[in-house]
Amino acid sequence: MNKPVPGQDHKLRYLGQIDLLQHLAPEDLRAVDQMVPLLAYPAGTVLYEPGQDLNRLYFLKRGRVRLYRLSPDGRQLTLAILKDGNIFGETDSFATGAGSCYAETLTDTLVCTMTTADLARFMQQRPSVALKLVEILSRELRRAQELVATLVLEDVRGRVLYCLSRLAAEFGAPDGDWAALDLKLTQEELAHMIGATRESVSAILAELSRHGLVRTGRGRIAVRRDVVATLPASDGDARGAAKARNRPSG
């Protein structure tokens, strides 16, 4: 069950961290603040599921959200793991591609929601926000196309490496030559993300570990940072994040 979160100053701070809203002036953020509630959900909450009359966008303020679908045989296929600042959901005007799947919180999570009417009114007043939203949705579409190509064309080893590199670029914390995932991920969950079996993923991880490309233990995974830097050029944001993490400090 969700519950409203008190404290407007904290809410405005969270709003300022959203990709779509980063460039807005404080008075614009206050206008958004008056439109949308800030809600808290515990880990393991299904925010919505396929077939639900969604018609709203979610702004992920803090936490982790998993988007997944069910295969005909009932297996979960994870499409994405979202972090602070992501936008997902559907409205009559905009589709993020996340409305036809399940959205589940992986951690305690804070979100704001905006209805179609809220979004239309806000963008009529601020056209620059509409342009920014189109930019974000275009980026997510490129990522989705890249993911589909990887799942279709790569073998299990290639899919594991691609998935871990993407996760390390977005959730990796520098640890010497390694990027340690700030995300607890089991082999079963990784298998769900790439449409493979846990047994095949376990074998691939063991091979990659022997070759010094990944480290595993206690539900945590680390990836060599030079592997993260080989992300496809079409994934501009993740590639840029990887390069920034590989850049020597000082």
Side-chain angles (χ1 to χ4, degrees):
M1 179 179 296
N2 69 76
K3 56 182 180 180
V5 177
Q8 296 305 308
D9 291 340
H10 290 295
K11 183 178 176 182
L12 288 174
R13 176 166 52 97
Y14 289 131
L15 282 170
Q17 295 170 355
I18 289 295
D19 281 353
L20 175 63
L21 308 178
Q22 278 181 347
H23 63 301
L24 296 186
E27 58 271 22
D28 294 328
L29 286 177
R30 281 190 285 272
V32 179
D33 169 63
Q34 294 173 1
M35 289 184 190
V36 297
L38 181 61
L39 303 173
Y41 294 90
T45 301
V46 175
L47 300 177
Y48 58 79
E49 58 187 50
Q52 183 175 334
D53 184 16
L54 185 57
N55 204 26
R56 67 179 57 244
L57 290 180
Y58 288 80
F59 298 79
L60 180 54
K61 317 312 299 174
R62 187 177 68 194
R64 300 285 187 268
V65 170
R66 179 171 72 110
L67 304 179
Y68 69 93
R69 289 178 180 166
L70 294 180
S71 67
D73 60 2
R75 290 186 299 125
Q76 295 179 0
L77 175 60
T78 298
L79 304 176
I81 295 178
L82 308 180
K83 62 178 181 178
D84 303 2
N86 277 127
I87 301 170
F88 59 103
E90 307 280 10
T91 73
D92 291 338
S93 304
F94 291 93
T96 67
S100 59
C101 60
Y102 293 85
E104 178 188 23
T105 60
L106 295 177
T107 65
D108 291 346
T109 298
L110 294 177
V111 297
C112 285
T113 65
M114 184 177 285
T115 65
T116 298
D118 293 334
L119 183 64
R121 183 167 65 254
F122 186 66
M123 290 195 302
Q124 286 173 356
Q125 298 169 354
R126 296 165 177 80
S128 62
V129 176
L131 293 175
K132 181 66 175 177
L133 183 55
V134 170
E135 175 188 327
I136 292 173
L137 297 180
S138 298
R139 181 184 66 201
E140 295 306 315
L141 178 59
R142 289 195 300 271
R143 289 185 177 183
Q145 292 171 335
E146 183 180 296
L147 174 61
V148 169
T150 299
L151 291 177
V152 171
L153 299 176
E154 294 286 350
D155 58 14
V156 175
R157 186 182 189 276
R159 279 143 54 191
V160 168
L161 271 174
Y162 171 82
C163 184
L164 290 180
S165 297
R166 278 285 303 271
L167 290 173
E170 296 188 22
F171 299 99
D175 181 14
D177 292 332
W178 299 85
L181 297 190
D182 182 23
L183 185 71
K184 194 168 184 178
L185 188 68
T186 67
Q187 293 180 4
E188 184 75 22
E189 289 167 337
L190 181 57
H192 289 163
M193 296 185 73
I194 62 171
T197 65
R198 188 196 62 77
E199 292 77 13
S200 61
V201 167
S202 178
I204 295 298
L205 287 176
E207 177 206 338
L208 295 176
S209 181
R210 288 195 301 271
H211 286 85
L213 299 178
V214 303
R215 293 190 313 201
T216 61
R218 299 182 180 179
R220 299 288 181 177
I221 299 177
V223 184
R224 283 192 60 88
R225 284 168 33 180
D226 53 359
V227 173
V228 182
T230 63
L231 280 170
S234 61
D235 189 3
D237 291 336
R239 186 179 178 92
K243 287 183 177 181
R245 291 189 177 94
N246 279 283
R247 191 178 300 124
S249 59

